[in-house]
Amino acid sequence: MTDPNAIQPSALDQLPDRDPEETAEWQASLDAVAKAAGPHRAAYLMRRTLERAEGNGIALPKLLETDYVNTIPTAAEPSAPGDPEMERKITAWNRWNAAAMVTRGSKHGVGGHIATFASAAWLYETGFNHFFRGKEADGSGDQLYIQGHASPGIYARAFLDGRLTEQHLDNFRQEAGGEGLPSYPHPRRLPWLWEFPTVSMGLGPLSAIYQARFNRYLTNRDIKNVSASHVWAFLGDGEMDEPESTAALALASREGLDNLTFVINCNLQRLDGPVRANFKIVQELEAQFRGAGWNVIKTLWGTAWDELFQLDTTGALVRRLREVPDAQVQTYQTRDAAYIRQDFFGKDPALAEMAKLLSDDKILECFHLSRGGHEADKVYAAYKAAVEFKGAPTVILAQTVKGHTLGEGFASKNANHQMKKLSVDEFKAMRDLLELPISDAQFVDGVVPYGHPGVDSPEVRYLQERRAALGGPAPARRTHALAPLPAPADKTFASFDKGSGSQNVATTMAFVRLVKDLVRDKETGKRWVPIVPDEARTFGMESLFPSLGIYSPKGQTYEPVDRDQLMYYKEAKNGQILNEGITEAGSMADFIAASTSYATHGEAMIPFYIFYSMFGWQRTADQMWQLGDQLGRGFLVGATAGRTTLTGEGLQHADGHSPVIAATNPAALSYDPAFAYEIATIVKDGLRRMYGEAAPGEDPNVFYYLTVYNEPMPQPAKPAAPGVDEGIVKGLYRFNTAESAAVEVAAANAPRIQLLASGTAIHWALKAQKLLAEEWGVAADVWSATSWTELRRDALEADAALLRGEERTPYVRRALQGAEGPVLAVSDYMRQVPDQIAQWVEQDWSSLGADGFGLSDTREAARRHFGVDAESVVVAALAQLARRGEVKATAVKEARERYGL
């Protein structure tokens, strides 16, 4: 067994040594230093040598960890502009009102978070006063991803600024009355303030990276120059445990996104306790980000520590800081000076001697209060260095104390994330600490008052002057008065009405062809944003590569292997396609950034994201909820849809449930079209609603989800009957009748049944229609159910109207009114999908679907397995009619035997 501590062969051992004697001298020097001055001195010299090599451009692996000290020493800090005393007062008011808001709300049982903003107050205030650019600044201003649990502090600042009232604060987490404030950043709930929903942890950092990338995309494509915009993402150190938080770090560095800064509030605590109790989260994050190619700035210690570092002539203090685990640092925050002298300083003789020079007050000041994230000068220096750094994104690791200034009952306590209120005595102690002019008399009946220095006070004037200089209020979301986008020519959509004749065309191919036509439109073509997660060839989209180009900030620095082919792999700096790697999460983040560009940048973009159906809603439904929350617009396309259409792919690729998940999202308009002309009609209506002239009462802030199939079938012409377009959009229309289908039914008074089918299942229904007529004397009408979900929503709205005393008939009931016989619904999805509308159908109802897990086999075998093929539809139809006494019961048994079911 190999000894893990033994010296392992190095890659350098495989290289020729031009001067072994010189190499031996260097190694001997290192050995001598280690022997004479100790291994810590040797390690110090090695780190400094590596830093010098990196600074001189010598190709060596980067140093992933530095000492547990500030990256920017006090002597190198720039002088912060502005009035520090005024900013201290503003921050004090914000701290107070944030705590008061949550405490007052706790009486109603609505909860809230106090400790997070208390730790991060200076991280936000410094940015608001000196860095965060508003919407009136050049380009689009900055984009701020606020940590969700810090929202009370942002509301408190908006209150000071006059954008919110006391009534707003008193309705924190109480929105039903119309004047409330959402618990977290929710653009759909407070669309004039919040831009980005962030509290679903991990999605904020992922979205911030792709937002910064999309900003570059807009600039490089000459849509809008937003090169002055900077993306700031405020995150918790515990949040970095989420895999999405770090999923795209390499992308950000690979594309040189120096328009992006992560600010990680390292208060060393997550929801239940320490983030890395036995380790050091700051060091772990530093190594992770440096390894991914980011610029890392550590802002750990306040100025009170300067004296200690000056006394550290042996490096013992720096060594001790590196070895003390985070949970012990948290413990120091709550213990007295004697404990700290013994446990921290007493571990090393040199530190013990240092401690003799320090008073108890000095020790407590350092270990209880002095953190880099709590000092405006330290934060300003970090922010300035971040925005001036070029060539890579920056992460700022700012150490703070969770619950700072809230008193001993809060600071660094494991339970402080769940603590929702302060007592009156705690508020009075906080008032004294923050030096706020709030009298005891203002605590009426034990209710903590809100504090405000006055609309004309120096604090408010200063705050507003700083925001005016930076381009207006922040955070802020603007719904720009954009002119509707011109509608593409009708012929683009009408070309699908005539069908494909005898040619077999999959609906996936029909959608891609439609997009190819739309991106050529002179008015709106450039605004389409095709997004695909490394599956373009699967979906037949490779023909778009040479015509649109794949976006790459470096362009194409190589000669593609297929350069001599018509559909070669073309990358370009102004490329239109976002062809991601194998990352549905990254593709969804792309989509969110593009779909909200109409608000973020005042530029309406039309994203369509096409993905393996199974790996959309199942894998990234949380982001699709984020998309709805952020009021995104665009087209999600679940390709290779259905449970039985992917021959041989098996369980993991067989999607039989995505429409069920999609139905839970109020912003998702979910469609399962059967034919090419249906797709064209739905996309045309979607463009009108989201980007053109929405009808009265229609919400344009929706997104469309279409399923398309990889099963080549003849595409029929659009029926000439009136109301087809309306039915396609609303979710149901009669495709044909037994008579119009020209199937032979012997008896004039033959039993009749209505077959409702969606997606590729309509082809089974059409075959069943023929079998029922020719072999069983049953007349069947076939309906295309383009959207079970929209039918259900319309019916739910009708029910709600009835409760208000309004008479309204659901569309599905009106559409089926007078249709003879029972209804049998079928889809390539689980029965729960069509069963959504069962209660509003007046006829007898039954359904078929592909319930259970998928399997590998041919389409025919899979459909027989799930009992949804044409023959199974026939047997189910006969069974319904037999129960009604309209066919003989023996016909069902005979059919099962005839078809081998």
Short mmCIF file of all heavy atoms in Angstrom, two decimals, residues 405-439:
data_model
loop_
_atom_site.label_atom_id
_atom_site.label_comp_id
_atom_site.label_asym_id
_atom_site.label_seq_id
_atom_site.Cartn_x
_atom_site.Cartn_y
_atom_site.Cartn_z
N THR A 405 -24.11 44.01 16.17
CA THR A 405 -24.80 45.16 16.77
C THR A 405 -26.16 44.82 17.37
O THR A 405 -26.81 45.68 17.95
CB THR A 405 -25.01 46.34 15.78
OG1 THR A 405 -26.05 46.02 14.85
CG2 THR A 405 -23.74 46.70 15.06
N LEU A 406 -26.60 43.56 17.26
CA LEU A 406 -27.90 43.21 17.82
C LEU A 406 -27.83 42.79 19.28
O LEU A 406 -28.85 42.51 19.89
CB LEU A 406 -28.53 42.07 17.00
CG LEU A 406 -28.84 42.38 15.53
CD1 LEU A 406 -29.45 41.15 14.85
CD2 LEU A 406 -29.76 43.58 15.40
N GLY A 407 -26.63 42.75 19.83
CA GLY A 407 -26.48 42.42 21.23
C GLY A 407 -25.96 41.02 21.46
O GLY A 407 -25.88 40.20 20.55
N GLU A 408 -25.59 40.75 22.70
CA GLU A 408 -24.98 39.47 23.04
C GLU A 408 -25.92 38.30 22.81
O GLU A 408 -25.48 37.17 22.60
CB GLU A 408 -24.53 39.49 24.51
CG GLU A 408 -23.39 40.47 24.79
CD GLU A 408 -22.93 40.42 26.23
OE1 GLU A 408 -23.52 39.63 27.00
OE2 GLU A 408 -21.99 41.17 26.59
N GLY A 409 -27.22 38.57 22.83
CA GLY A 409 -28.17 37.49 22.62
C GLY A 409 -28.23 37.00 21.19
O GLY A 409 -28.79 35.94 20.92
N PHE A 410 -27.66 37.80 20.27
CA PHE A 410 -27.72 37.44 18.85
C PHE A 410 -26.37 37.08 18.27
O PHE A 410 -26.24 36.12 17.52
CB PHE A 410 -28.30 38.62 18.05
CG PHE A 410 -29.77 38.51 17.79
CD1 PHE A 410 -30.68 38.94 18.74
CD2 PHE A 410 -30.25 37.98 16.61
CE1 PHE A 410 -32.04 38.85 18.51
CE2 PHE A 410 -31.61 37.89 16.36
CZ PHE A 410 -32.51 38.32 17.33
N ALA A 411 -25.36 37.89 18.55
CA ALA A 411 -24.10 37.79 17.84
C ALA A 411 -23.49 36.39 17.95
O ALA A 411 -23.24 35.89 19.04
CB ALA A 411 -23.11 38.82 18.38
N SER A 412 -23.30 35.76 16.79
CA SER A 412 -22.64 34.46 16.66
C SER A 412 -23.36 33.31 17.33
O SER A 412 -22.80 32.23 17.45
CB SER A 412 -21.19 34.54 17.18
OG SER A 412 -20.39 35.22 16.25
N LYS A 413 -24.60 33.50 17.72
CA LYS A 413 -25.35 32.38 18.30
C LYS A 413 -25.80 31.44 17.19
O LYS A 413 -26.24 31.87 16.13
CB LYS A 413 -26.57 32.90 19.06
CG LYS A 413 -26.24 33.83 20.23
CD LYS A 413 -25.47 33.13 21.32
CE LYS A 413 -25.27 34.06 22.51
NZ LYS A 413 -24.48 33.45 23.58
N ASN A 414 -25.71 30.14 17.46
CA ASN A 414 -26.11 29.17 16.44
C ASN A 414 -27.55 29.36 15.99
O ASN A 414 -27.90 29.12 14.83
CB ASN A 414 -25.93 27.75 16.96
CG ASN A 414 -24.50 27.25 16.83
OD1 ASN A 414 -23.72 27.79 16.06
ND2 ASN A 414 -24.16 26.23 17.60
N ALA A 415 -28.40 29.78 16.91
CA ALA A 415 -29.84 29.86 16.61
C ALA A 415 -30.25 31.21 16.02
O ALA A 415 -31.44 31.43 15.78
CB ALA A 415 -30.64 29.60 17.88
N ASN A 416 -29.29 32.12 15.77
CA ASN A 416 -29.72 33.48 15.43
C ASN A 416 -30.44 33.60 14.09
O ASN A 416 -31.16 34.56 13.86
CB ASN A 416 -28.56 34.48 15.51
CG ASN A 416 -27.42 34.18 14.56
OD1 ASN A 416 -27.57 33.44 13.59
ND2 ASN A 416 -26.26 34.75 14.85
N HIS A 417 -30.28 32.60 13.21
CA HIS A 417 -31.03 32.68 11.95
C HIS A 417 -32.52 32.50 12.19
O HIS A 417 -33.34 32.99 11.41
CB HIS A 417 -30.53 31.62 10.97
CG HIS A 417 -31.07 31.80 9.59
ND1 HIS A 417 -30.55 32.71 8.71
CD2 HIS A 417 -32.11 31.22 8.94
CE1 HIS A 417 -31.22 32.67 7.58
NE2 HIS A 417 -32.18 31.78 7.69
N GLN A 418 -32.87 31.78 13.25
CA GLN A 418 -34.28 31.54 13.55
C GLN A 418 -34.85 32.52 14.56
O GLN A 418 -36.04 32.44 14.88
CB GLN A 418 -34.44 30.11 14.09
CG GLN A 418 -33.84 29.04 13.20
CD GLN A 418 -34.41 29.04 11.80
OE1 GLN A 418 -35.56 29.37 11.60
NE2 GLN A 418 -33.60 28.69 10.81
N MET A 419 -34.04 33.44 15.06
CA MET A 419 -34.50 34.41 16.05
C MET A 419 -35.13 35.59 15.33
O MET A 419 -34.49 36.24 14.49
CB MET A 419 -33.33 34.83 16.93
CG MET A 419 -32.77 33.66 17.75
SD MET A 419 -31.12 33.93 18.44
CE MET A 419 -31.46 35.14 19.69
N LYS A 420 -36.39 35.88 15.63
CA LYS A 420 -37.18 36.81 14.83
C LYS A 420 -37.45 38.14 15.52
O LYS A 420 -38.12 39.00 14.93
CB LYS A 420 -38.53 36.16 14.48
CG LYS A 420 -38.44 34.75 13.92
CD LYS A 420 -37.64 34.69 12.63
CE LYS A 420 -37.61 33.28 12.06
NZ LYS A 420 -36.73 33.16 10.88
N LYS A 421 -36.97 38.32 16.72
CA LYS A 421 -37.32 39.57 17.41
C LYS A 421 -36.31 39.89 18.51
O LYS A 421 -35.60 39.01 19.01
CB LYS A 421 -38.71 39.49 18.01
CG LYS A 421 -38.90 38.38 19.03
CD LYS A 421 -40.33 38.31 19.51
CE LYS A 421 -40.52 37.16 20.50
NZ LYS A 421 -41.92 37.07 20.97
N LEU A 422 -36.27 41.18 18.84
CA LEU A 422 -35.50 41.66 19.98
C LEU A 422 -36.47 42.16 21.03
O LEU A 422 -37.57 42.63 20.71
CB LEU A 422 -34.57 42.81 19.59
CG LEU A 422 -33.22 42.48 18.94
CD1 LEU A 422 -33.42 41.97 17.52
CD2 LEU A 422 -32.33 43.74 18.92
N SER A 423 -36.06 42.10 22.28
CA SER A 423 -36.88 42.66 23.36
C SER A 423 -36.71 44.17 23.38
O SER A 423 -35.81 44.73 22.74
CB SER A 423 -36.45 42.06 24.70
OG SER A 423 -35.15 42.51 25.03
N VAL A 424 -37.57 44.84 24.12
CA VAL A 424 -37.47 46.29 24.24
C VAL A 424 -36.12 46.68 24.84
O VAL A 424 -35.47 47.63 24.38
CB VAL A 424 -38.63 46.83 25.10
CG1 VAL A 424 -38.40 48.30 25.46
CG2 VAL A 424 -39.96 46.68 24.36
N ASP A 425 -35.68 45.94 25.85
CA ASP A 425 -34.39 46.26 26.46
C ASP A 425 -33.24 46.07 25.46
O ASP A 425 -32.28 46.86 25.43
CB ASP A 425 -34.15 45.38 27.69
CG ASP A 425 -35.04 45.77 28.85
OD1 ASP A 425 -35.55 46.91 28.84
OD2 ASP A 425 -35.24 44.94 29.77
N GLU A 426 -33.33 45.04 24.62
CA GLU A 426 -32.30 44.83 23.60
C GLU A 426 -32.31 45.96 22.58
O GLU A 426 -31.25 46.40 22.11
CB GLU A 426 -32.51 43.48 22.92
CG GLU A 426 -32.14 42.29 23.80
CD GLU A 426 -32.53 40.96 23.20
OE1 GLU A 426 -33.59 40.89 22.54
OE2 GLU A 426 -31.78 39.97 23.40
N PHE A 427 -33.50 46.44 22.23
CA PHE A 427 -33.56 47.57 21.30
C PHE A 427 -32.95 48.82 21.93
O PHE A 427 -32.25 49.59 21.26
CB PHE A 427 -35.02 47.85 20.91
CG PHE A 427 -35.42 47.17 19.63
CD1 PHE A 427 -36.32 46.12 19.64
CD2 PHE A 427 -34.91 47.58 18.41
CE1 PHE A 427 -36.69 45.48 18.47
CE2 PHE A 427 -35.27 46.96 17.23
CZ PHE A 427 -36.17 45.90 17.25
N LYS A 428 -33.20 49.03 23.20
CA LYS A 428 -32.64 50.22 23.85
C LYS A 428 -31.12 50.14 23.92
O LYS A 428 -30.43 51.15 23.72
CB LYS A 428 -33.25 50.38 25.24
CG LYS A 428 -34.72 50.78 25.20
CD LYS A 428 -35.31 50.91 26.60
CE LYS A 428 -36.77 51.35 26.53
NZ LYS A 428 -37.40 51.45 27.88
N ALA A 429 -30.59 48.95 24.16
CA ALA A 429 -29.14 48.79 24.15
C ALA A 429 -28.59 49.00 22.75
O ALA A 429 -27.52 49.61 22.57
CB ALA A 429 -28.77 47.39 24.67
N MET A 430 -29.30 48.53 21.76
CA MET A 430 -28.89 48.73 20.37
C MET A 430 -28.92 50.21 20.02
O MET A 430 -28.02 50.73 19.34
CB MET A 430 -29.81 47.93 19.46
CG MET A 430 -29.51 48.03 17.97
SD MET A 430 -30.73 47.08 17.03
CE MET A 430 -30.23 47.49 15.36
N ARG A 431 -29.96 50.91 20.48
CA ARG A 431 -30.06 52.35 20.24
C ARG A 431 -28.86 53.08 20.80
O ARG A 431 -28.27 53.95 20.14
CB ARG A 431 -31.34 52.87 20.90
CG ARG A 431 -31.47 54.38 20.94
CD ARG A 431 -32.45 54.81 22.01
NE ARG A 431 -32.03 54.40 23.35
CZ ARG A 431 -32.80 54.49 24.44
NH1 ARG A 431 -34.03 54.91 24.34
NH2 ARG A 431 -32.32 54.12 25.62
N ASP A 432 -28.47 52.73 22.00
CA ASP A 432 -27.32 53.39 22.63
C ASP A 432 -26.04 53.09 21.87
O ASP A 432 -25.18 53.97 21.69
CB ASP A 432 -27.21 52.96 24.09
CG ASP A 432 -28.42 53.38 24.93
OD1 ASP A 432 -29.14 54.30 24.48
OD2 ASP A 432 -28.64 52.78 25.99
N LEU A 433 -25.88 51.85 21.45
CA LEU A 433 -24.69 51.46 20.71
C LEU A 433 -24.59 52.21 19.39
O LEU A 433 -23.51 52.67 19.00
CB LEU A 433 -24.70 49.95 20.46
CG LEU A 433 -23.57 49.39 19.60
CD1 LEU A 433 -22.22 49.54 20.31
CD2 LEU A 433 -23.82 47.92 19.26
N LEU A 434 -25.73 52.37 18.71
CA LEU A 434 -25.75 53.03 17.40
C LEU A 434 -25.88 54.54 17.50
O LEU A 434 -25.82 55.23 16.48
CB LEU A 434 -26.91 52.47 16.56
CG LEU A 434 -26.85 50.97 16.25
CD1 LEU A 434 -28.10 50.54 15.48
CD2 LEU A 434 -25.60 50.64 15.44
N GLU A 435 -26.06 55.04 18.74
CA GLU A 435 -26.17 56.48 19.00
C GLU A 435 -27.32 57.11 18.20
O GLU A 435 -27.18 58.14 17.54
CB GLU A 435 -24.85 57.19 18.67
CG GLU A 435 -23.67 56.68 19.48
CD GLU A 435 -22.36 57.34 19.09
OE1 GLU A 435 -22.36 58.16 18.15
OE2 GLU A 435 -21.33 57.04 19.72
N LEU A 436 -28.50 56.48 18.30
CA LEU A 436 -29.67 56.98 17.59
C LEU A 436 -30.54 57.83 18.53
O LEU A 436 -30.75 57.46 19.69
CB LEU A 436 -30.50 55.80 17.07
CG LEU A 436 -29.88 55.00 15.93
CD1 LEU A 436 -30.70 53.75 15.65
CD2 LEU A 436 -29.77 55.85 14.67
N PRO A 437 -31.08 58.93 18.02
CA PRO A 437 -31.91 59.82 18.84
C PRO A 437 -33.35 59.30 18.96
O PRO A 437 -34.31 59.91 18.44
CB PRO A 437 -31.85 61.15 18.08
CG PRO A 437 -31.69 60.75 16.65
CD PRO A 437 -30.83 59.50 16.68
N ILE A 438 -33.52 58.19 19.65
CA ILE A 438 -34.83 57.61 19.87
C ILE A 438 -35.04 57.54 21.38
O ILE A 438 -34.24 56.92 22.10
CB ILE A 438 -34.94 56.21 19.24
CG1 ILE A 438 -34.78 56.30 17.72
CG2 ILE A 438 -36.28 55.56 19.59
CD1 ILE A 438 -34.71 54.95 17.03
N SER A 439 -36.09 58.16 21.86
CA SER A 439 -36.31 58.24 23.31
C SER A 439 -37.09 57.04 23.82
O SER A 439 -37.77 56.34 23.05
CB SER A 439 -37.08 59.52 23.65
OG SER A 439 -38.40 59.45 23.12
#
